[in-house]
Amino acid sequence: MSQYLGRRTFVAGSAAALAGAGLVGSTLQESDGSETTNNDTDDSEHETMTDDTTLIAHRGFAGAYPENTELAVEAASFGGPGSQTIHRRADMIEVDIVPTADGTLVTFHDNGLAERDGGERGLTDTEGLIFETDTETVTSATVLGTEETVPTLETVMDSIPPSVTVNLEFKNPGSQDLRFAESVPDKTLSTQRELWRPYTERALDLVSEYDNDILVSSFYEAALATARDHDDSIPIACLFWDDIEAGLEITRRYDCEAMNVPRNMVQGTPFFNDSGYIDSDLSDVNLAEIAADEGRELNVWTVSTWYQARELVRAGVDGVISDYPTVLSFQD
């Protein structure tokens, strides 16, 4: 397991090796060195990656479980729901956090409870913006037609064992004046810091009561700035969007321990600039080399398949942020 340099290090989760490319037939390494398996399926034709790539459960493996819920983070932590151990356990779990109107922190991705940008159907059965809705209403909302409801950050932290690192992605706390995924002028940043500070301090004070290692990430520079202001021992990661130069500027300004970047920003893969939005003048910027030279982790989102994971690992990334627990399970 790779480590952040100069600050708190990862405590690697008890990562279970997945014997097949599916969600069954996993072999788990127990603390005494013995192996257990949850069924007798013969998956000997598959190979399991044995490198040190960090497996990061995106919203608690959102492709397998209702995202950002208590069930999702528990299943990602322990290798399956309930007592089952059907897949590899996550080394790190990424959750999105945002305050309700009462200031309670919950884990939820969208601004709206029931409507996404563009008018698409949202994640819950309840109307309203998270940051304009009272906590009781938010935490009673059911997620994606399941019995799971929107949890508080405290509930989520209670559900993740101390051996698993938690990546807190700070979402918009409610202001329309925040600058997204770009370097912010000093005067604007000063104003935005004041908007973020109570939210950031509340979150970091809460998670400080737990033994998990923490990584803070955000597309918002002010979130990273206020996290550094409040506790500079906590590792932070700049989330890159469509501007490599701005992402590197923010990363270096705050000496971020990690860079969390989209997969099409990684040189040496078939995915580099496959959307065509990266500035051609920066097409020779190799983020894997930069991360290695500067002692930072390079984590990549959102990795959907074993093929993507394999190519990214070959290109030198440290961690894959994925909706699926099986992306590191197969190599040819």
Side-chain angles (χ1 to χ4, degrees):
M1 182 65 56
S2 52
Q3 296 179 332
Y4 290 126
L5 302 179
R7 302 184 194 271
R8 299 176 66 192
T9 59
F10 281 143
V11 176
S14 301
L18 179 64
L23 287 175
V24 297
S26 62
T27 299
L28 303 181
Q29 192 74 27
E30 301 293 346
S31 59
D32 62 1
S34 62
E35 290 184 346
T36 62
T37 183
N38 70 312
N39 65 29
D40 296 326
T41 303
D42 181 7
D43 290 314
S44 57
E45 71 274 18
H46 296 296
E47 297 181 46
T48 302
M49 280 191 174
T50 56
D51 58 40
D52 292 329
T53 307
T54 304
L55 177 60
I56 305 168
H58 184 235
R59 307 180 199 170
F61 292 136
Y65 307 109
E67 64 178 65
N68 280 315
T69 62
E70 184 178 4
L71 170 64
V73 299
E74 285 183 345
S77 298
F78 295 104
S83 60
Q84 299 179 63
T85 50
I86 59 177
H87 58 70
R88 174 176 166 173
R89 303 169 190 175
D91 302 311
M92 184 191 306
I93 296 175
E94 183 261 6
V95 291
D96 304 293
I97 62 170
V98 64
T100 68
D102 309 326
T104 300
L105 295 166
V106 295
T107 59
F108 198 80
H109 178 271
D110 295 357
N111 289 336
L113 284 161
E115 185 173 294
R116 295 190 159 188
D117 292 341
E120 297 179 17
R121 180 176 172 80
L123 293 170
T124 81
D125 61 347
T126 303
E127 299 288 336
L129 296 174
I130 288 278
F131 36 75
E132 294 180 355
T133 305
D134 65 274
T135 300
E136 183 177 358
T137 300
V138 171
T139 56
S140 298
T142 58
V143 177
L144 294 171
T146 69
E147 295 182 356
E148 293 297 304
T149 55
V150 178
T152 64
L153 176 58
E154 185 175 12
T155 296
V156 162
M157 293 301 299
D158 287 341
S159 304
I160 301 174
S163 59
V164 178
T165 299
V166 180
N167 177 187
L168 303 176
E169 184 190 331
F170 283 35
K171 308 301 287 188
N172 187 338
S175 171
Q176 301 303 311
D177 299 324
L178 299 177
R179 300 277 286 272
F180 179 82
E182 60 181 285
S183 182
V184 178
D186 288 343
K187 184 176 180 179
T188 303
L189 180 61
S190 178
T191 300
Q192 292 188 5
R193 265 186 155 120
E194 296 312 306
L195 294 172
W196 277 94
R197 198 175 308 280
Y199 167 37
T200 304
E201 292 181 356
R202 195 178 312 130
L204 297 186
D205 287 347
L206 189 155
V207 299
S208 71
E209 298 176 7
Y210 296 83
D211 292 331
N212 307 73
D213 275 357
I214 301 297
L215 173 67
V216 168
S217 65
S218 188
F219 289 107
Y220 298 99
E221 181 181 354
L224 301 177
T226 51
R228 270 288 189 253
D229 290 344
H230 188 61
D231 186 347
D232 66 3
S233 72
I234 295 177
I236 62 175
C238 177
L239 269 164
F240 288 43
W241 181 245
D242 61 356
D243 189 334
I244 292 177
E245 191 170 35
L248 285 172
E249 181 179 345
I250 293 170
T251 295
R252 289 163 174 161
R253 180 176 300 155
Y254 301 99
D255 192 20
C256 295
E257 286 80 8
M259 301 184 289
N260 289 6
V261 308
R263 64 175 183 262
N264 61 1
M265 281 191 179
V266 180
Q267 280 275 12
T269 72
F271 327 116
F272 181 74
N273 205 18
D274 57 7
S275 64
Y277 67 65
I278 296 175
D279 191 324
S280 60
D281 292 339
L282 298 173
S283 62
D284 60 344
V285 176
N286 190 315
L287 290 177
E289 290 183 355
I290 290 172
D293 289 344
E294 297 182 2
R296 312 184 200 279
E297 298 290 298
L298 182 64
N299 303 316
V300 181
W301 57 270
T302 303
V303 181
S304 301
T305 68
W306 67 266
Y307 171 69
Q308 292 173 355
R310 185 192 66 182
E311 296 303 305
L312 290 162
V313 170
R314 287 176 173 176
V317 308
D318 299 293
V320 295
I321 304 171
S322 180
D323 288 333
Y324 302 99
T326 54
V327 292
L328 294 178
S329 301
F330 181 81
Q331 60 181 352
D332 57 10

